[in-house]
Short mmCIF file of all heavy atoms in Angstrom, two decimals:
data_model
loop_
_atom_site.label_atom_id
_atom_site.label_comp_id
_atom_site.label_asym_id
_atom_site.label_seq_id
_atom_site.Cartn_x
_atom_site.Cartn_y
_atom_site.Cartn_z
N TYR A 32 111.03 83.51 101.47
CA TYR A 32 111.50 83.71 102.79
C TYR A 32 110.24 83.92 103.60
O TYR A 32 109.47 84.86 103.27
CB TYR A 32 112.45 84.93 102.93
CG TYR A 32 113.85 84.62 102.30
CD1 TYR A 32 114.09 83.57 101.46
CD2 TYR A 32 114.89 85.49 102.60
CE1 TYR A 32 115.33 83.45 100.91
CE2 TYR A 32 116.19 85.36 102.07
CZ TYR A 32 116.40 84.25 101.22
OH TYR A 32 117.59 84.10 100.63
N TYR A 36 105.87 87.17 112.96
CA TYR A 36 106.11 88.25 113.87
C TYR A 36 104.90 88.32 114.95
O TYR A 36 103.79 87.92 114.64
CB TYR A 36 106.11 89.60 113.18
CG TYR A 36 107.30 89.91 112.40
CD1 TYR A 36 107.49 89.44 111.05
CD2 TYR A 36 108.37 90.70 112.91
CE1 TYR A 36 108.57 89.75 110.38
CE2 TYR A 36 109.52 90.95 112.14
CZ TYR A 36 109.59 90.45 110.84
OH TYR A 36 110.70 90.78 110.12
N GLN A 38 103.01 90.98 117.81
CA GLN A 38 102.85 92.39 118.18
C GLN A 38 101.95 92.47 119.40
O GLN A 38 100.83 92.14 119.28
CB GLN A 38 102.28 93.17 117.08
CG GLN A 38 102.24 94.68 117.31
CD GLN A 38 101.75 95.47 116.06
OE1 GLN A 38 100.84 95.02 115.45
NE2 GLN A 38 102.34 96.62 115.82
N GLY A 43 106.03 97.35 119.22
CA GLY A 43 106.48 97.13 117.84
C GLY A 43 106.36 95.65 117.46
O GLY A 43 105.92 94.82 118.23
N LEU A 46 110.23 89.64 115.76
CA LEU A 46 110.39 88.36 115.03
C LEU A 46 110.36 87.20 115.94
O LEU A 46 111.07 87.12 116.95
CB LEU A 46 111.64 88.40 114.21
CG LEU A 46 111.86 87.27 113.34
CD1 LEU A 46 110.98 87.29 112.08
CD2 LEU A 46 113.30 87.16 112.91
N LYS A 49 111.93 82.49 111.48
CA LYS A 49 112.04 82.73 110.04
C LYS A 49 112.48 81.50 109.33
O LYS A 49 113.22 80.67 109.91
CB LYS A 49 112.99 83.90 109.74
CG LYS A 49 114.46 83.63 110.21
CD LYS A 49 115.27 84.88 110.03
CE LYS A 49 116.75 84.67 110.54
NZ LYS A 49 117.56 85.87 110.40
N PHE A 51 114.39 80.35 105.78
CA PHE A 51 115.04 80.75 104.52
C PHE A 51 115.25 79.48 103.69
O PHE A 51 115.03 79.61 102.38
CB PHE A 51 116.40 81.38 104.81
CG PHE A 51 116.31 82.83 105.32
CD1 PHE A 51 117.38 83.55 105.65
CD2 PHE A 51 115.06 83.46 105.48
CE1 PHE A 51 117.30 84.82 106.21
CE2 PHE A 51 114.91 84.79 105.99
CZ PHE A 51 116.05 85.46 106.33
N PHE A 90 101.50 87.96 113.12
CA PHE A 90 101.50 88.28 111.64
C PHE A 90 102.51 87.29 110.94
O PHE A 90 103.64 87.19 111.42
CB PHE A 90 101.99 89.74 111.38
CG PHE A 90 100.99 90.75 111.89
CD1 PHE A 90 101.23 91.29 113.17
CD2 PHE A 90 99.87 91.09 111.20
CE1 PHE A 90 100.35 92.23 113.67
CE2 PHE A 90 99.05 92.01 111.71
CZ PHE A 90 99.27 92.58 112.90
N SER A 97 116.64 88.99 95.82
CA SER A 97 116.54 90.04 94.86
C SER A 97 115.79 91.28 95.27
O SER A 97 115.12 91.95 94.53
CB SER A 97 116.00 89.61 93.49
OG SER A 97 116.77 88.52 93.05
N TYR A 98 115.91 91.50 96.61
CA TYR A 98 115.29 92.70 97.23
C TYR A 98 113.75 92.73 97.06
O TYR A 98 113.14 93.85 97.01
CB TYR A 98 115.89 93.96 96.62
CG TYR A 98 117.42 93.97 96.73
CD1 TYR A 98 118.21 93.77 95.62
CD2 TYR A 98 117.97 94.14 97.96
CE1 TYR A 98 119.53 93.78 95.68
CE2 TYR A 98 119.38 94.09 98.02
CZ TYR A 98 120.16 93.94 96.96
OH TYR A 98 121.53 93.93 97.05
N LYS A 100 110.04 92.79 98.22
CA LYS A 100 109.42 93.38 99.46
C LYS A 100 108.89 92.35 100.37
O LYS A 100 108.61 91.19 100.03
CB LYS A 100 108.29 94.29 98.98
CG LYS A 100 107.22 93.63 98.12
CD LYS A 100 106.38 94.65 97.39
CE LYS A 100 105.43 93.95 96.41
NZ LYS A 100 104.71 94.88 95.54
N VAL A 101 108.80 92.65 101.65
CA VAL A 101 108.24 91.78 102.66
C VAL A 101 106.80 92.22 102.84
O VAL A 101 106.52 93.26 103.20
CB VAL A 101 109.05 91.93 103.96
CG1 VAL A 101 108.44 91.06 105.04
CG2 VAL A 101 110.52 91.47 103.77
N PHE A 103 103.00 91.43 104.51
CA PHE A 103 102.33 90.84 105.75
C PHE A 103 100.92 90.40 105.47
O PHE A 103 100.24 90.95 104.63
CB PHE A 103 102.35 91.97 106.82
CG PHE A 103 103.69 92.08 107.48
CD1 PHE A 103 104.69 92.87 106.83
CD2 PHE A 103 104.00 91.57 108.72
CE1 PHE A 103 105.95 93.04 107.43
CE2 PHE A 103 105.17 91.72 109.29
CZ PHE A 103 106.18 92.46 108.64
N PRO A 105 97.05 89.69 107.25
CA PRO A 105 96.17 90.57 107.95
C PRO A 105 96.26 90.38 109.50
O PRO A 105 95.71 91.12 110.25
CB PRO A 105 94.76 90.16 107.53
CG PRO A 105 94.90 88.78 107.06
CD PRO A 105 96.32 88.67 106.53
N TYR B 35 105.97 101.21 106.42
CA TYR B 35 104.65 100.57 106.45
C TYR B 35 103.69 101.42 107.13
O TYR B 35 103.98 102.12 108.04
CB TYR B 35 104.77 99.19 107.19
CG TYR B 35 105.51 98.11 106.57
CD1 TYR B 35 106.87 97.98 106.72
CD2 TYR B 35 104.91 97.08 105.74
CE1 TYR B 35 107.64 96.98 106.15
CE2 TYR B 35 105.59 96.14 105.20
CZ TYR B 35 106.95 96.00 105.39
OH TYR B 35 107.66 95.08 104.77
N GLN B 37 100.21 100.93 109.31
CA GLN B 37 99.37 99.93 109.99
C GLN B 37 98.11 100.57 110.58
O GLN B 37 98.25 101.23 111.62
CB GLN B 37 100.17 99.15 111.10
CG GLN B 37 99.36 97.99 111.66
CD GLN B 37 100.16 97.17 112.68
OE1 GLN B 37 101.11 97.67 113.25
NE2 GLN B 37 99.72 95.94 112.89
N GLY B 42 97.02 94.31 109.21
CA GLY B 42 98.42 94.04 109.10
C GLY B 42 99.11 95.19 108.51
O GLY B 42 98.54 96.06 107.93
N LEU B 45 102.79 97.80 103.13
CA LEU B 45 103.96 98.47 102.62
C LEU B 45 103.61 99.72 101.78
O LEU B 45 102.84 99.67 100.88
CB LEU B 45 104.73 97.48 101.75
CG LEU B 45 106.06 98.04 101.11
CD1 LEU B 45 107.03 98.29 102.26
CD2 LEU B 45 106.63 97.09 100.08
N GLN B 48 109.59 101.08 99.56
CA GLN B 48 110.83 100.32 99.89
C GLN B 48 111.95 100.98 99.19
O GLN B 48 111.97 101.26 98.01
CB GLN B 48 110.65 98.91 99.44
CG GLN B 48 111.92 98.02 99.64
CD GLN B 48 111.88 96.65 98.94
OE1 GLN B 48 110.76 96.25 98.55
NE2 GLN B 48 112.99 95.96 98.97
N GLN B 50 116.18 100.81 98.42
CA GLN B 50 117.37 100.03 98.39
C GLN B 50 118.48 101.16 98.29
O GLN B 50 118.68 101.74 97.26
CB GLN B 50 117.51 99.10 97.18
CG GLN B 50 118.67 98.20 97.17
CD GLN B 50 118.70 97.30 98.40
OE1 GLN B 50 117.63 96.86 98.90
NE2 GLN B 50 119.88 96.95 98.82
N ASP B 56 110.16 100.02 95.38
CA ASP B 56 108.69 99.80 95.22
C ASP B 56 107.93 100.89 95.92
O ASP B 56 108.23 101.11 97.13
CB ASP B 56 108.29 98.43 95.76
CG ASP B 56 106.90 98.03 95.42
OD1 ASP B 56 105.94 98.85 95.77
OD2 ASP B 56 106.65 96.96 94.90
N ASP B 98 119.11 91.75 100.02
CA ASP B 98 119.26 90.47 99.28
C ASP B 98 120.03 89.48 100.16
O ASP B 98 119.75 88.31 100.11
CB ASP B 98 120.07 90.77 98.02
CG ASP B 98 120.11 89.54 97.10
OD1 ASP B 98 119.01 88.93 96.93
OD2 ASP B 98 121.16 89.20 96.58
N ASP B 100 120.05 89.06 103.38
CA ASP B 100 119.17 88.62 104.46
C ASP B 100 117.99 89.59 104.56
O ASP B 100 118.10 90.68 105.04
CB ASP B 100 119.87 88.59 105.78
CG ASP B 100 119.06 88.00 106.94
OD1 ASP B 100 117.86 87.91 106.79
OD2 ASP B 100 119.63 87.71 107.99
N PRO B 101 116.76 89.12 104.05
CA PRO B 101 115.60 90.02 104.06
C PRO B 101 114.92 90.19 105.25
O PRO B 101 113.86 90.84 105.34
CB PRO B 101 114.76 89.37 102.96
CG PRO B 101 115.05 87.88 103.06
CD PRO B 101 116.56 87.86 103.40
N GLU B 102 115.34 89.61 106.43
CA GLU B 102 114.65 89.80 107.70
C GLU B 102 114.60 91.25 108.02
O GLU B 102 115.57 91.92 108.11
CB GLU B 102 115.39 89.06 108.86
CG GLU B 102 114.76 89.23 110.21
CD GLU B 102 115.53 88.73 111.31
OE1 GLU B 102 116.44 87.92 111.04
OE2 GLU B 102 115.23 89.17 112.48
N ALA B 103 113.37 91.70 108.24
CA ALA B 103 113.07 93.11 108.54
C ALA B 103 113.07 93.31 110.04
O ALA B 103 112.38 92.66 110.75
CB ALA B 103 111.77 93.54 107.85
N PHE B 105 112.11 96.16 112.91
CA PHE B 105 111.16 97.19 113.02
C PHE B 105 111.47 98.23 114.11
O PHE B 105 111.97 97.81 115.26
CB PHE B 105 109.77 96.71 113.25
CG PHE B 105 109.10 96.13 111.99
CD1 PHE B 105 109.41 94.89 111.58
CD2 PHE B 105 108.31 96.92 111.17
CE1 PHE B 105 108.84 94.35 110.44
CE2 PHE B 105 107.75 96.40 110.09
CZ PHE B 105 108.04 95.16 109.64
#
Side-chain angles (χ1 to χ4, degrees):
Chain A
Y32 286 16
Y36 285 85
Q38 187 177 42
L46 181 73
K49 61 186 178 184
F51 285 177
F90 295 97
S97 302
Y98 306 107
K100 54 198 173 188
V101 178
F103 284 77
Chain B
Y35 289 87
Q37 187 177 24
L45 181 67
Q48 176 186 352
Q50 186 61 34
D56 190 306
D98 190 46
D100 182 346
E102 176 187 343
F105 283 83

